Amino acid sequence: MNGSASAMGSEDVAGALDDFENHWDDGRGRVKENIEAIVGAVEESAQAYRQTDTDLREALQEEETSTTAVQAR
């Protein structure tokens, strides 16, 4: 066993930690990309909900105006 392996308890543990450390930046980059994609999707969804809400409000206001005009006759 080398020095780091004996400090970690075994060659397997030392190897696993080295592997993790060597790939940490890659994994962190993928997590960042995934989070950015999720943020984009959530922003698009929020905009779609706002637009739908606006469209429904306008349609209801138009319907209310039409109904009021018919009742006034």
Side-chain angles (χ1 to χ4, degrees), residues 18-36:
D18 283 340
D19 188 50
F20 177 80
E21 181 183 13
N22 292 335
H23 295 96
W24 175 249
D25 286 335
D26 295 339
R28 196 172 59 185
R30 285 191 297 249
V31 168
K32 181 180 180 241
E33 290 171 3
N34 288 338
I35 289 171
E36 289 170 348

Side-chain angles (χ1 to χ4, degrees), residues 3 9 32 41 46-48 55 64 69 71:
K32 181 180 180 241
Q47 179 58 37
D55 293 347
E64 184 178 304
Q71 290 174 349

Side-chain angles (χ1 to χ4, degrees), residues 33-73:
E33 290 171 3
N34 288 338
I35 289 171
E36 289 170 348
I38 290 168
V39 167
V42 169
E43 288 173 344
E44 288 178 19
S45 295
Q47 179 58 37
Y49 281 113
R50 281 192 293 272
Q51 187 61 52
T52 299
D53 189 53
T54 299
D55 293 347
L56 288 172
R57 184 183 70 243
E58 290 173 357
L60 288 170
Q61 288 172 340
E62 289 174 11
E63 181 66 27
E64 184 178 304
T65 302
S66 296
T67 302
T68 303
V70 169
Q71 290 174 349
R73 288 186 197 172

